[in-house]
Amino acid sequence: NGAGEIVLLNDIDMSSVSSWTPIGGVDASAYTTSEPYMAVNPFTGTFNGQGFAIKNLDCSSVLSSTSLAYGLFGSVSGATIKNLVLGASGTSVTWTFSGTAAKYTVIAPLVAYAKNSALENCTNYYNIDFAAENKKGELVMLSGLVGTIVNTRIGGESKALGCFNRGFVRTGAISNTANGGTGMQTAGICAFM
């Protein structure tokens, strides 16, 4: 955590990690749609994957009221995440979520919450399977790449900066039929901005 640059020199195989704690977290105690979260210990530097992959990361979890952010990064602020692959083409890793989602839960493979940041040339192959309960009128966000952004750029003007989701985002029967900031937001790239 902190300013600086992290550079991958090889693929990283996370198959031996049984429980992942995201890099950074979020606090939604003062939630508003213009300032949804306060980032807690966010990543603030540059993460350059150099085209390498983080493989076999499994963030499956029984959801709880003590954690709101699920993904490689829980929160980033003033950061750049670039040239990174999550998972691998032709392989299938599915993150399964069960239990009951707390209000303002955000799930996304790359970044749960990004503020004042740039995400460039990132591709996700992980699948999201939301088999949990989403209480009526309580916002929950699911995405195949980034959950929630504020003043953040995903991709860029050139194709080389593009970000892609090759995984699926699936839910079971949803009891929360509310709309907007009180419903369930699902998307392939970004659930809430």
Side-chain angles (χ1 to χ4, degrees):
N1 202 15
E5 185 168 4
I6 294 174
V7 179
L8 293 187
L9 301 176
N10 297 294
D11 290 346
I12 296 176
D13 185 348
M14 301 288 286
S15 57
S16 65
V17 176
S18 61
S19 179
W20 176 253
T21 300
I23 301 165
V26 296
D27 177 351
S29 59
Y31 189 96
T32 67
T33 53
S34 61
E35 193 68 36
Y37 299 103
M38 180 175 75
V40 178
N41 299 316
F43 178 80
T44 59
T46 297
F47 191 102
N48 185 352
Q50 295 196 117
F52 292 111
I54 296 177
K55 297 179 177 181
N56 300 309
L57 175 63
D58 188 356
C59 290
S60 295
S61 183
V62 175
L63 300 174
S64 73
S65 60
T66 58
S67 182
L68 297 177
Y70 298 85
L72 177 64
F73 291 92
S75 64
V76 300
S77 181
T80 298
I81 312 295
K82 61 184 181 179
N83 309 319
L84 181 62
V85 177
L86 296 174
S89 177
T91 63
S92 181
V93 174
T94 299
W95 299 359
T96 302
F97 295 90
S98 60
T100 301
K103 188 175 185 178
Y104 306 127
T105 294
V106 58
I107 299 168
L110 183 60
V111 180
Y113 174 60
K115 183 175 180 179
N116 301 326
S117 296
L119 310 171
E120 304 169 345
N121 190 29
C122 293
T123 300
N124 171 59
Y125 289 96
Y126 293 125
N127 300 315
I128 304 294
D129 188 3
F130 186 85
E133 178 67 28
N134 176 204
K135 294 179 185 174
K136 184 176 179 178
E138 293 191 1
L139 178 63
V140 170
M141 293 147 285
L142 309 172
S143 174
L145 196 66
V146 185
T148 301
I149 64 171
V150 171
N151 195 32
T152 292
R153 178 174 47 84
I154 300 172
E157 292 183 18
S158 75
K159 187 176 180 180
L161 297 177
C163 290
F164 304 94
N165 174 36
R166 306 287 187 222
F168 65 71
V169 178
R170 176 173 58 202
T171 66
I174 300 297
S175 60
N176 184 1
T177 58
N179 294 313
T182 58
M184 173 173 276
Q185 306 293 321
T186 58
I189 299 293
C190 183
F192 200 77
M193 58 186 91

